[in-house]
Amino acid sequence: MSVEVEVNENDLAEMVEQVWMSYLDPEGISPLIPTYDQNQPSEVHSSVSITGSWTGHVVYGCSNAAARRAAAAFLAMEVDEVSPEDLSDVLGELANIVGGNVKAMLPPGCFLSLPQVMLAPETTTKYPNTERISGVYGLWEGEPVNVSMWQSRSDIKEEDA
């Protein structure tokens, strides 16, 4: 059974802001504007799983346009130069960076998986037996972006998840 998480929404928001300032908007001209809307749509997702003393997932979701913009910013290229492989690599790396920061705040004995990337709507991305425990939701140049944490629960039935 997983221990209770010690990472709250403020911690997650700070991690996302650090990633944003370091990789996606180092000049500070295009910040992520909070919307606090858990129901905003997302078309692509990347995630890392954390196992061990805490079990769950860190998920980065966004629109296709935001994903292309993120890949371009991360790789210092133009949006129209971004290949599908670039897109997948960068989305995976963004989930990996935030997931690594989350893991560092958890009790010892946690392991981080390799990133998984789904270039598909959120309706195809499910984490059975989990519940959302934290999330950062916003708009980046008008496009939805979110980073959320999902904790595995052994007491949740799959049909309830």
Side-chain angles (χ1 to χ4, degrees):
M1 183 164 178
S2 191
V3 299
E4 288 302 312
V5 70
E6 298 175 10
V7 180
N8 62 38
E9 293 215 7
N10 290 332
D11 295 328
L12 185 61
E14 187 175 314
M15 290 175 209
V16 171
E17 183 177 354
Q18 289 173 354
V19 168
W20 219 263
M21 293 179 355
S22 298
Y23 299 102
L24 304 179
D25 185 33
E27 291 85 30
I29 57 174
S30 185
L32 180 64
I33 308 298
T35 63
Y36 308 101
D37 179 5
Q38 295 180 38
N39 299 313
Q40 68 186 24
S42 52
E43 299 167 316
V44 297
H45 303 88
S46 56
S47 65
V48 290
S49 297
I50 299 172
T51 57
S53 59
W54 185 83
T55 303
H57 312 277
V58 175
V59 181
Y60 179 97
C62 62
S63 68
N64 281 315
R68 293 185 66 75
R69 189 175 297 127
F74 197 95
L75 299 172
M77 60 176 42
E78 296 298 320
V79 172
D80 60 354
E81 296 175 327
V82 173
S83 71
E85 292 81 15
D86 295 332
L87 189 74
S88 184
D89 288 348
V90 168
L91 290 177
E93 189 58 27
L94 290 171
N96 195 47
I97 292 167
V98 176
N101 287 328
V102 167
K103 178 185 166 284
M105 294 186 71
L106 295 171
C110 288
F111 302 93
L112 194 65
S113 75
L114 292 173
Q116 299 293 316
V117 179
M118 293 279 299
L119 304 178
E122 71 180 89
T123 56
T124 63
T125 308
K126 301 248 184 213
Y127 297 94
N129 301 324
T130 63
E131 69 178 338
R132 186 189 81 76
I133 60 167
S134 185
V136 174
Y137 304 89
L139 293 176
W140 184 31
E141 296 183 5
E143 295 293 330
V145 174
N146 62 75
V147 178
S148 56
M149 288 180 59
W150 298 79
Q151 184 166 7
S152 296
R153 299 282 190 193
S154 59
D155 57 343
I156 297 175
K157 294 180 180 153
E158 191 163 327
E159 61 269 8
D160 295 338

